[in-house]
Structures are given as structure tokens and as C-alpha cells.
Amino acid sequence: MLQARDDLVSPAAVAWDSWELIGPRTIELTFLAGPAQCEGVSVEVLETDQDVTINLSVGTLPDAGACQAIALTSTTRVALGADLGDRTVRQDAG
């Protein structure tokens, strides 16, 4: 699981593959990224009464050394400001 960070080097938008509701206000996203010791994720969330838009960016950790160029299935958890309820979960990327 990758923790959301705001200090990534060269973050780029990535599409997430799937989501799962872990609790009324917690969503777990699945996506492809490099090894956790090399890459991190930043998360942008926009909530309305109708939907929740979650966009991800993946970038290099500031202190990462040499890293293998491999893609791994990764996850991150997103906390919502209100219960998801019947709102639609969507993303701009993809």
C-alpha cells in the first residue's frame, strides 16, 4: 500500500483500475506503480452531492536511489469528507 504524499518528484497522472469501499468514508484504489521504495502517490479528491472524483498521480520519492523499471499492482486508501452513500465514484484520467 502506498501512502499519499505531496513531495513527489515528477508526478504524472495515472488511471486507477478499481475501487473498493473499506468503510463508509474510506475507499481503497488499485492501480499500477513502481516499487514502494521508489515511487509514491498523490491523491486529489473532489466531492459533490452526486459523485466523488478521485485522481491519482504517481511520482518518484525524493530520496529514492536506483530503481527497477517494473509495474506492480499497488493500492492506496482515500478518506472522504462524508459517507459515500449512493454517490458515484469516478476519475478524470483513463
Side-chain angles (χ1 to χ4, degrees):
M1 178 169 305
L2 297 180
Q3 299 298 319
R5 301 173 61 128
D6 61 3
D7 63 346
L8 302 175
V9 177
S10 301
V14 296
W16 42 265
D17 299 315
S18 63
W19 65 274
E20 180 181 354
L21 190 63
I22 301 299
R25 293 183 181 201
T26 305
I27 292 175
E28 185 171 278
L29 301 173
T30 302
F31 57 98
L32 293 178
Q37 65 270 25
C38 297
E39 291 190 346
V41 64
S42 65
V43 180
E44 174 188 85
V45 180
L46 176 62
E47 297 185 52
T48 69
D49 291 340
Q50 293 78 33
D51 58 36
V52 175
T53 303
I54 306 172
N55 295 312
L56 297 181
S57 293
V58 172
T60 305
L61 298 177
D63 54 353
C67 296
Q68 286 184 301
I70 58 173
L72 304 169
T73 300
S74 301
T75 60
T76 193
R77 289 193 176 172
V78 178
L80 304 178
D83 290 359
L84 179 61
D86 61 357
R87 295 184 290 173
T88 301
V89 178
R90 57 183 296 276
Q91 62 185 319
D92 292 331

Coordinates of all heavy atoms in Angstrom, one line a residue:
M1 N 0.9 -1.2 0.0 CA 0.0 0.0 0.0 C 0.9 1.2 0.0 O 1.8 1.3 0.8 CB -0.9 0.0 1.2 CG -1.8 1.3 1.3 SD -3.1 1.3 2.5 CE -3.9 -0.2 2.0
L2 N 0.6 2.2 -0.9 CA 1.3 3.4 -1.0 C 0.6 4.5 -0.2 O -0.6 4.6 -0.3 CB 1.5 3.9 -2.4 CG 2.3 2.9 -3.3 CD1 2.4 3.5 -4.8 CD2 3.7 2.7 -2.8
Q3 N 1.3 5.2 0.6 CA 0.7 6.3 1.4 C 0.8 7.6 0.5 O 1.7 7.8 -0.2 CB 1.5 6.6 2.7 CG 1.5 5.4 3.6 CD 0.1 5.0 4.1 OE1 -0.7 5.9 4.4 NE2 -0.1 3.7 4.1
A4 N -0.3 8.4 0.6 CA -0.3 9.6 -0.2 C 0.7 10.6 0.3 O 0.9 10.7 1.5 CB -1.7 10.3 -0.1
R5 N 1.4 11.3 -0.6 CA 2.5 12.2 -0.3 C 2.3 13.4 -1.2 O 1.8 13.4 -2.2 CB 3.9 11.6 -0.5 CG 4.1 10.3 0.2 CD 5.4 9.7 -0.2 NE 6.5 10.6 0.0 CZ 7.6 10.3 0.7 NH1 7.8 9.1 1.2 NH2 8.6 11.1 0.8
D6 N 3.0 14.5 -0.7 CA 2.9 15.8 -1.5 C 4.3 16.2 -1.9 O 4.5 17.3 -2.4 CB 2.2 16.9 -0.8 CG 2.8 17.3 0.5 OD1 3.9 16.7 0.9 OD2 2.2 18.1 1.2
D7 N 5.3 15.4 -1.8 CA 6.7 15.7 -2.1 C 7.3 14.9 -3.2 O 8.5 14.8 -3.3 CB 7.6 15.6 -0.9 CG 7.7 14.2 -0.3 OD1 6.9 13.3 -0.7 OD2 8.6 13.9 0.5
L8 N 6.5 14.4 -4.1 CA 7.0 13.5 -5.2 C 7.7 14.3 -6.3 O 7.4 15.4 -6.6 CB 5.8 12.8 -5.8 CG 5.0 11.9 -4.9 CD1 3.8 11.3 -5.6 CD2 5.8 10.8 -4.3
V9 N 8.7 13.6 -6.9 CA 9.4 14.2 -8.0 C 8.8 13.8 -9.3 O 8.5 12.6 -9.5 CB 10.9 13.7 -8.0 CG1 11.7 14.3 -9.1 CG2 11.6 14.1 -6.6
S10 N 8.5 14.7 -10.2 CA 7.9 14.5 -11.5 C 6.6 13.6 -11.4 O 6.5 12.6 -12.1 CB 8.9 13.8 -12.4 OG 10.0 14.7 -12.6
P11 N 5.6 14.0 -10.6 CA 4.4 13.2 -10.6 C 3.7 13.3 -11.9 O 3.7 14.3 -12.6 CB 3.6 13.8 -9.5 CG 4.1 15.2 -9.4 CD 5.5 15.2 -9.8
A12 N 3.1 12.1 -12.3 CA 2.3 12.1 -13.6 C 1.0 11.4 -13.3 O 0.9 10.4 -12.5 CB 3.0 11.3 -14.6
A13 N -0.1 11.9 -13.9 CA -1.4 11.3 -13.7 C -1.5 9.8 -14.1 O -0.9 9.5 -15.2 CB -2.5 12.1 -14.4
V14 N -2.1 9.0 -13.3 CA -2.4 7.6 -13.7 C -3.8 7.3 -13.4 O -4.4 7.8 -12.5 CB -1.5 6.6 -12.9 CG1 0.0 6.8 -13.2 CG2 -1.7 6.7 -11.4
A15 N -4.3 6.4 -14.3 CA -5.7 5.9 -14.1 C -5.7 4.8 -13.1 O -4.8 3.9 -13.1 CB -6.3 5.5 -15.4
W16 N -6.6 4.8 -12.1 CA -6.7 3.6 -11.2 C -7.6 2.6 -11.9 O -8.4 2.9 -12.8 CB -7.2 4.0 -9.8 CG -8.3 5.0 -9.7 CD1 -8.2 6.4 -9.6 CD2 -9.8 4.8 -9.8 NE1 -9.5 7.0 -9.5 CE2 -10.4 6.0 -9.6 CE3 -10.5 3.6 -9.9 CZ2 -11.8 6.1 -9.6 CZ3 -11.9 3.7 -9.9 CH2 -12.5 5.0 -9.8
D17 N -7.4 1.3 -11.5 CA -8.1 0.2 -12.2 C -9.4 -0.1 -11.5 O -10.4 -0.5 -12.2 CB -7.2 -1.0 -12.2 CG -5.9 -0.8 -13.0 OD1 -6.0 -0.2 -14.1 OD2 -4.9 -1.2 -12.5
S18 N -9.5 -0.1 -10.2 CA -10.7 -0.4 -9.5 C -10.7 0.2 -8.1 O -9.7 0.7 -7.6 CB -10.8 -2.0 -9.3 OG -9.7 -2.4 -8.5
W19 N -11.9 0.2 -7.5 CA -12.0 0.7 -6.1 C -12.9 -0.2 -5.3 O -13.7 -0.9 -5.8 CB -12.6 2.2 -6.1 CG -14.0 2.3 -6.7 CD1 -14.4 2.4 -8.0 CD2 -15.2 2.3 -5.9 NE1 -15.7 2.5 -8.0 CE2 -16.3 2.4 -6.8 CE3 -15.5 2.2 -4.5 CZ2 -17.6 2.4 -6.4 CZ3 -16.8 2.2 -4.1 CH2 -17.8 2.3 -5.0
E20 N -12.7 -0.1 -4.0 CA -13.5 -0.9 -3.0 C -13.8 0.0 -1.8 O -12.9 0.7 -1.3 CB -12.7 -2.1 -2.6 CG -13.4 -3.0 -1.6 CD -12.6 -4.2 -1.2 OE1 -11.5 -4.4 -1.7 OE2 -13.1 -4.9 -0.3
L21 N -15.0 0.0 -1.4 CA -15.4 0.7 -0.2 C -15.0 -0.1 1.1 O -15.5 -1.2 1.3 CB -16.9 1.0 -0.2 CG -17.5 1.9 0.9 CD1 -16.9 3.3 0.7 CD2 -19.0 2.0 0.8
I22 N -14.0 0.5 1.8 CA -13.5 -0.2 3.0 C -14.3 0.1 4.2 O -14.5 -0.7 5.2 CB -12.0 0.2 3.2 CG1 -11.2 -0.2 2.0 CG2 -11.4 -0.4 4.5 CD1 -11.1 -1.6 1.7
G23 N -14.9 1.3 4.3 CA -15.7 1.8 5.4 C -16.6 2.9 4.8 O -16.4 3.3 3.6
P24 N -17.6 3.5 5.5 CA -18.5 4.5 4.9 C -17.7 5.7 4.3 O -18.2 6.3 3.4 CB -19.3 4.9 6.1 CG -19.2 3.8 7.1 CD -17.9 3.2 6.9
R25 N -16.5 6.0 4.9 CA -15.8 7.1 4.4 C -14.4 6.8 3.9 O -13.5 7.7 3.8 CB -15.6 8.2 5.5 CG -17.0 8.8 5.9 CD -16.7 9.9 6.9 NE -18.0 10.4 7.3 CZ -18.2 11.6 7.9 NH1 -17.1 12.3 8.1 NH2 -19.4 12.1 8.2
T26 N -14.1 5.5 3.6 CA -12.8 5.1 3.1 C -12.9 4.2 1.9 O -13.6 3.2 1.9 CB -12.1 4.3 4.2 OG1 -12.0 5.1 5.4 CG2 -10.6 4.0 3.8
I27 N -12.2 4.7 0.8 CA -12.1 4.0 -0.4 C -10.7 3.5 -0.7 O -9.7 4.3 -0.5 CB -12.6 4.9 -1.6 CG1 -14.1 5.2 -1.4 CG2 -12.3 4.2 -3.0 CD1 -14.6 6.2 -2.5
E28 N -10.5 2.2 -1.1 CA -9.2 1.7 -1.5 C -9.2 1.6 -3.0 O -10.0 1.0 -3.6 CB -9.0 0.3 -0.8 CG -7.6 -0.2 -1.1 CD -7.2 -1.4 -0.3 OE1 -6.8 -1.2 0.9 OE2 -7.4 -2.5 -0.8
L29 N -8.1 2.2 -3.6 CA -8.0 2.2 -5.0 C -6.9 1.2 -5.4 O -5.9 1.1 -4.7 CB -7.6 3.6 -5.5 CG -8.6 4.7 -5.2 CD1 -8.0 6.1 -5.6 CD2 -9.9 4.5 -6.0
T30 N -7.0 0.6 -6.5 CA -6.0 -0.3 -7.1 C -5.5 0.3 -8.4 O -6.3 0.7 -9.2 CB -6.6 -1.7 -7.3 OG1 -7.1 -2.2 -6.0 CG2 -5.5 -2.7 -7.8
F31 N -4.2 0.3 -8.6 CA -3.5 0.9 -9.8 C -2.1 0.3 -9.9 O -1.7 -0.4 -9.1 CB -3.5 2.4 -9.6 CG -2.7 2.9 -8.4 CD1 -1.4 3.2 -8.4 CD2 -3.4 2.9 -7.1 CE1 -0.7 3.6 -7.3 CE2 -2.7 3.2 -6.0 CZ -1.4 3.6 -6.0
L32 N -1.5 0.6 -11.0 CA -0.1 0.2 -11.3 C 0.9 1.3 -10.9 O 0.7 2.5 -11.3 CB 0.1 -0.2 -12.8 CG -0.7 -1.4 -13.2 CD1 -0.5 -1.6 -14.7 CD2 -0.3 -2.7 -12.4
A33 N 1.9 0.9 -10.3 CA 3.0 1.8 -9.9 C 4.3 1.0 -9.7 O 4.3 -0.2 -9.8 CB 2.7 2.6 -8.6
G34 N 5.4 1.7 -9.6 CA 6.7 1.1 -9.3 C 6.8 0.6 -7.9 O 5.9 0.8 -7.1
P35 N 7.9 0.1 -7.5 CA 8.2 -0.4 -6.2 C 7.9 0.7 -5.1 O 8.3 1.9 -5.3 CB 9.6 -0.9 -6.2 CG 9.9 -1.1 -7.6 CD 9.1 -0.1 -8.4
A36 N 7.4 0.3 -4.0 CA 7.1 1.3 -2.9 C 8.3 2.0 -2.4 O 8.2 3.1 -1.9 CB 6.3 0.6 -1.8
Q37 N 9.5 1.5 -2.5 CA 10.7 2.1 -2.0 C 11.2 3.2 -3.0 O 12.1 4.0 -2.8 CB 11.8 1.2 -1.7 CG 12.4 0.4 -2.9 CD 11.6 -0.9 -3.1 OE1 10.5 -1.1 -2.7 NE2 12.3 -1.9 -3.7
C38 N 10.5 3.2 -4.2 CA 10.9 4.1 -5.3 C 9.9 5.2 -5.6 O 10.2 6.3 -6.0 CB 11.3 3.4 -6.5 SG 12.7 2.3 -6.3
E39 N 8.6 4.7 -5.6 CA 7.5 5.6 -6.1 C 6.5 5.8 -5.0 O 6.3 5.0 -4.1 CB 6.9 5.0 -7.3 CG 7.8 5.1 -8.5 CD 7.1 4.8 -9.8 OE1 5.9 4.2 -9.8 OE2 7.6 5.0 -10.8
G40 N 5.8 6.9 -5.1 CA 4.7 7.3 -4.2 C 3.5 7.8 -5.0 O 3.6 7.9 -6.2
V41 N 2.5 8.1 -4.3 CA 1.2 8.5 -5.0 C 0.7 9.8 -4.3 O 0.9 10.0 -3.1 CB 0.1 7.4 -4.9 CG1 -0.3 7.1 -3.4 CG2 -1.1 7.7 -5.7
S42 N 0.2 10.7 -5.1 CA -0.6 11.8 -4.6 C -2.0 11.7 -5.0 O -2.3 11.1 -6.1 CB 0.0 13.2 -5.0 OG -0.1 13.3 -6.4
V43 N -2.9 12.2 -4.2 CA -4.4 12.0 -4.4 C -5.1 13.3 -4.4 O -4.8 14.2 -3.6 CB -4.9 11.1 -3.3 CG1 -6.4 10.9 -3.5 CG2 -4.2 9.8 -3.2
E44 N -6.0 13.5 -5.4 CA -6.8 14.7 -5.5 C -8.3 14.2 -5.4 O -8.7 13.3 -6.2 CB -6.6 15.4 -6.8 CG -7.5 16.6 -7.0 CD -7.4 17.1 -8.4 OE1 -8.0 16.6 -9.4 OE2 -6.6 18.1 -8.6
V45 N -9.0 14.7 -4.4 CA -10.4 14.3 -4.3 C -11.4 15.5 -4.4 O -11.1 16.5 -3.7 CB -10.6 13.6 -2.9 CG1 -12.1 13.2 -2.7 CG2 -9.7 12.4 -2.7
L46 N -12.4 15.3 -5.1 CA -13.4 16.4 -5.3 C -14.8 15.7 -5.0 O -15.2 14.8 -5.7 CB -13.4 17.0 -6.7 CG -14.5 18.0 -6.9 CD1 -14.4 19.2 -6.0 CD2 -14.5 18.5 -8.4
E47 N -15.4 16.2 -3.9 CA -16.7 15.6 -3.5 C -17.9 16.5 -3.8 O -17.8 17.7 -3.5 CB -16.7 15.2 -2.0 CG -15.7 14.2 -1.6 CD -15.8 13.8 -0.2 OE1 -16.9 13.4 0.3 OE2 -14.8 13.9 0.5
T48 N -18.9 16.0 -4.4 CA -20.2 16.7 -4.6 C -21.3 15.8 -4.0 O -21.1 14.7 -3.6 CB -20.5 17.0 -6.1 OG1 -20.8 15.8 -6.8 CG2 -19.3 17.7 -6.8
D49 N -22.5 16.3 -4.1 CA -23.7 15.5 -3.6 C -23.9 14.3 -4.5 O -24.5 13.4 -4.1 CB -24.9 16.4 -3.6 CG -24.8 17.4 -2.5 OD1 -24.0 17.3 -1.5 OD2 -25.6 18.4 -2.5
Q50 N -23.5 14.4 -5.8 CA -23.8 13.4 -6.8 C -22.6 12.4 -6.9 O -22.8 11.2 -7.2 CB -24.1 13.9 -8.2 CG -25.3 14.7 -8.2 CD -25.2 16.1 -7.6 OE1 -24.1 16.7 -7.7 NE2 -26.3 16.6 -7.0
D51 N -21.4 12.8 -6.8 CA -20.3 11.9 -7.1 C -19.0 12.3 -6.3 O -18.9 13.4 -5.7 CB -20.0 11.8 -8.6 CG -19.6 13.1 -9.2 OD1 -19.0 14.0 -8.6 OD2 -20.0 13.3 -10.4
V52 N -18.0 11.4 -6.4 CA -16.7 11.6 -5.8 C -15.7 11.4 -6.9 O -15.7 10.3 -7.4 CB -16.5 10.7 -4.6 CG1 -15.0 10.8 -4.1 CG2 -17.5 10.9 -3.5
T53 N -14.9 12.4 -7.2 CA -13.9 12.2 -8.3 C -12.6 12.1 -7.6 O -12.2 12.9 -6.7 CB -13.9 13.5 -9.2 OG1 -15.2 13.6 -9.8 CG2 -12.8 13.3 -10.3
I54 N -11.9 11.0 -7.9 CA -10.6 10.7 -7.3 C -9.5 10.6 -8.4 O -9.7 9.7 -9.2 CB -10.6 9.5 -6.4 CG1 -11.7 9.5 -5.4 CG2 -9.2 9.3 -5.7 CD1 -11.9 8.2 -4.6
N55 N -8.6 11.5 -8.4 CA -7.5 11.4 -9.4 C -6.2 11.1 -8.7 O -5.9 11.7 -7.6 CB -7.4 12.7 -10.2 CG -8.7 13.0 -11.0 OD1 -9.1 12.1 -11.7 ND2 -9.2 14.2 -10.9
L56 N -5.4 10.3 -9.3 CA -4.1 9.9 -8.8 C -2.9 10.4 -9.6 O -3.1 10.4 -10.9 CB -4.0 8.3 -8.7 CG -4.9 7.6 -7.8 CD1 -4.6 6.1 -7.8 CD2 -4.9 8.1 -6.4
S57 N -1.8 10.7 -9.0 CA -0.6 10.9 -9.7 C 0.5 10.0 -9.0 O 0.5 9.9 -7.8 CB -0.2 12.4 -9.6 OG -1.0 13.2 -10.4
V58 N 1.4 9.5 -9.8 CA 2.5 8.7 -9.3 C 3.8 9.4 -9.6 O 3.9 9.9 -10.8 CB 2.5 7.2 -9.9 CG1 3.7 6.4 -9.5 CG2 1.2 6.5 -9.4
G59 N 4.7 9.4 -8.7 CA 6.0 10.0 -8.9 C 7.1 9.4 -8.1 O 6.8 8.5 -7.3
T60 N 8.3 9.8 -8.3 CA 9.5 9.2 -7.7 C 9.6 9.9 -6.3 O 9.4 11.1 -6.1 CB 10.7 9.5 -8.5 OG1 10.6 9.0 -9.8 CG2 11.9 8.9 -7.8
L61 N 10.0 9.0 -5.3 CA 10.2 9.6 -3.9 C 11.5 10.4 -4.0 O 12.4 10.1 -4.7 CB 10.4 8.4 -3.0 CG 9.2 7.5 -2.8 CD1 9.6 6.3 -1.9 CD2 8.0 8.2 -2.3
P62 N 11.5 11.5 -3.2 CA 12.7 12.4 -3.2 C 14.0 11.7 -2.9 O 15.1 12.1 -3.4 CB 12.3 13.5 -2.3 CG 11.0 13.2 -1.7 CD 10.5 11.9 -2.3
D63 N 14.0 10.7 -2.0 CA 15.2 10.1 -1.6 C 15.5 8.7 -2.2 O 16.3 7.9 -1.8 CB 15.2 9.9 -0.1 CG 14.0 9.2 0.5 OD1 13.1 8.9 -0.3 OD2 13.9 8.9 1.7
A64 N 14.7 8.4 -3.3 CA 14.9 7.1 -4.0 C 16.2 7.1 -4.7 O 16.6 8.0 -5.4 CB 13.7 6.9 -5.0
G65 N 16.9 5.9 -4.6 CA 18.1 5.7 -5.4 C 17.8 5.1 -6.7 O 16.7 5.4 -7.3
A66 N 18.6 4.2 -7.1 CA 18.4 3.4 -8.4 C 17.2 2.5 -8.2 O 17.1 1.8 -7.2 CB 19.6 2.7 -8.8
C67 N 16.3 2.5 -9.2 CA 15.1 1.7 -9.1 C 14.9 0.9 -10.3 O 15.2 1.3 -11.4 CB 13.9 2.6 -8.9 SG 13.9 3.5 -7.3
Q68 N 14.3 -0.3 -10.1 CA 13.9 -1.1 -11.3 C 12.7 -0.5 -12.0 O 11.8 0.0 -11.3 CB 13.5 -2.5 -10.8 CG 14.7 -3.4 -10.4 CD 14.2 -4.8 -10.1 OE1 13.4 -5.0 -9.2 NE2 14.7 -5.8 -10.8
A69 N 12.7 -0.6 -13.3 CA 11.5 -0.1 -14.0 C 10.5 -1.2 -14.2 O 10.4 -1.9 -15.3 CB 12.0 0.4 -15.4
I70 N 9.7 -1.5 -13.1 CA 8.7 -2.5 -13.2 C 7.4 -1.9 -12.7 O 7.4 -1.0 -11.9 CB 9.1 -3.8 -12.3 CG1 9.3 -3.4 -10.9 CG2 10.3 -4.5 -12.9 CD1 9.6 -4.5 -9.9
A71 N 6.3 -2.5 -13.2 CA 5.0 -2.1 -12.7 C 4.4 -3.1 -11.8 O 4.4 -4.3 -12.2 CB 4.1 -1.8 -13.9
L72 N 3.9 -2.7 -10.7 CA 3.3 -3.6 -9.7 C 1.9 -3.1 -9.4 O 1.6 -1.9 -9.4 CB 4.2 -3.6 -8.4 CG 5.6 -3.9 -8.5 CD1 6.4 -3.6 -7.2 CD2 5.8 -5.4 -8.9
T73 N 1.1 -4.1 -9.0 CA -0.3 -3.7 -8.6 C -0.1 -3.1 -7.2 O 0.5 -3.7 -6.3 CB -1.2 -5.0 -8.5 OG1 -1.3 -5.5 -9.8 CG2 -2.6 -4.6 -8.0
S74 N -0.6 -1.9 -7.1 CA -0.5 -1.1 -5.8 C -1.9 -0.7 -5.3 O -2.8 -0.7 -6.1 CB 0.4 0.1 -6.0 OG 1.7 -0.3 -6.5
T75 N -1.9 -0.3 -4.1 CA -3.2 0.3 -3.5 C -2.9 1.5 -2.7 O -1.7 1.7 -2.3 CB -3.9 -0.8 -2.6 OG1 -3.1 -1.1 -1.5 CG2 -4.3 -2.0 -3.4
T76 N -3.9 2.3 -2.5 CA -3.8 3.4 -1.6 C -5.2 3.6 -1.1 O -6.2 3.3 -1.7 CB -3.3 4.7 -2.2 OG1 -3.0 5.7 -1.2 CG2 -4.3 5.3 -3.2
R77 N -5.3 4.2 0.1 CA -6.6 4.5 0.7 C -6.9 5.9 0.7 O -6.0 6.7 1.0 CB -6.7 3.9 2.1 CG -6.8 2.4 2.1 CD -7.2 1.7 3.4 NE -7.3 0.3 3.2 CZ -7.4 -0.6 4.2 NH1 -7.5 -0.1 5.4 NH2 -7.5 -1.8 3.9
V78 N -8.2 6.3 0.5 CA -8.6 7.7 0.4 C -9.7 7.9 1.4 O -10.7 7.1 1.4 CB -9.1 8.0 -1.0 CG1 -9.6 9.4 -1.1 CG2 -8.1 7.7 -2.1
A79 N -9.5 8.9 2.2 CA -10.6 9.3 3.2 C -11.5 10.3 2.6 O -11.0 11.3 2.1 CB -9.9 9.8 4.5
L80 N -12.8 10.1 2.8 CA -13.8 11.0 2.3 C -14.2 11.9 3.4 O -14.2 11.6 4.6 CB -15.0 10.3 1.7 CG -14.7 9.3 0.6 CD1 -16.0 8.6 0.2 CD2 -14.0 9.9 -0.6
G81 N -14.8 13.1 3.0 CA -15.3 14.1 4.0 C -16.6 13.7 4.5 O -17.0 14.1 5.6
A82 N -17.3 12.8 3.8 CA -18.7 12.4 4.2 C -18.9 11.0 3.7 O -18.1 10.5 2.8 CB -19.8 13.3 3.6
D83 N -19.8 10.2 4.2 CA -20.1 8.9 3.8 C -20.3 8.9 2.3 O -21.0 9.8 1.7 CB -21.4 8.3 4.5 CG -21.1 8.1 6.0 OD1 -20.0 8.3 6.5 OD2 -22.1 7.7 6.6
L84 N -19.9 7.8 1.6 CA -20.0 7.7 0.2 C -21.5 7.6 -0.2 O -22.0 8.2 -1.1 CB -19.3 6.5 -0.3 CG -19.4 6.2 -1.8 CD1 -18.9 7.4 -2.6 CD2 -18.8 4.9 -2.3
G85 N -22.3 6.8 0.6 CA -23.7 6.7 0.3 C -23.9 6.2 -1.1 O -23.3 5.2 -1.5
D86 N -24.8 6.8 -1.8 CA -25.1 6.3 -3.2 C -24.4 7.2 -4.3 O -24.8 7.1 -5.4 CB -26.6 6.3 -3.4 CG -27.3 7.7 -3.3 OD1 -26.6 8.7 -2.9 OD2 -28.5 7.8 -3.5
R87 N -23.4 7.9 -3.9 CA -22.7 8.7 -4.8 C -21.8 7.9 -5.7 O -21.4 6.8 -5.4 CB -21.8 9.8 -4.1 CG -22.5 10.8 -3.3 CD -21.6 11.8 -2.7 NE -20.8 11.3 -1.6 CZ -19.8 11.9 -1.0 NH1 -19.5 13.2 -1.4 NH2 -19.2 11.4 -0.1
T88 N -21.6 8.3 -6.9 CA -20.8 7.6 -7.9 C -19.3 8.0 -7.7 O -19.0 9.1 -7.4 CB -21.2 8.1 -9.4 OG1 -22.6 7.8 -9.5 CG2 -20.4 7.4 -10.4
V89 N -18.5 6.9 -7.8 CA -17.0 7.1 -7.7 C -16.5 7.2 -9.2 O -16.8 6.3 -10.0 CB -16.3 6.0 -6.9 CG1 -14.8 6.2 -6.9 CG2 -16.9 5.9 -5.5
R90 N -15.7 8.2 -9.5 CA -15.2 8.4 -10.8 C -13.8 9.0 -10.8 O -13.3 9.3 -9.8 CB -16.1 9.3 -11.7 CG -16.4 10.7 -11.0 CD -17.3 11.6 -11.8 NE -16.9 11.9 -13.1 CZ -16.1 12.9 -13.4 NH1 -15.6 13.7 -12.5 NH2 -15.8 13.2 -14.7
Q91 N -13.2 9.1 -12.0 CA -11.9 9.7 -12.2 C -11.8 10.4 -13.5 O -12.6 10.1 -14.4 CB -10.8 8.6 -12.1 CG -10.9 7.6 -13.2 CD -9.8 6.5 -13.1 OE1 -8.7 6.8 -12.7 NE2 -10.2 5.3 -13.3
D92 N -11.0 11.4 -13.6 CA -10.8 12.2 -14.8 C -9.9 11.5 -15.8 O -10.0 11.6 -17.0 CB -10.3 13.6 -14.5 CG -11.3 14.5 -13.8 OD1 -12.6 14.2 -14.0 OD2 -10.9 15.3 -13.0
A93 N -8.9 10.8 -15.2 CA -7.9 10.1 -16.1 C -8.5 8.8 -16.6 O -9.4 8.3 -16.1 CB -6.6 9.8 -15.2
G94 N -7.9 8.3 -17.7 CA -8.3 7.0 -18.1 C -8.9 6.9 -19.4 O -9.3 6.0 -19.9

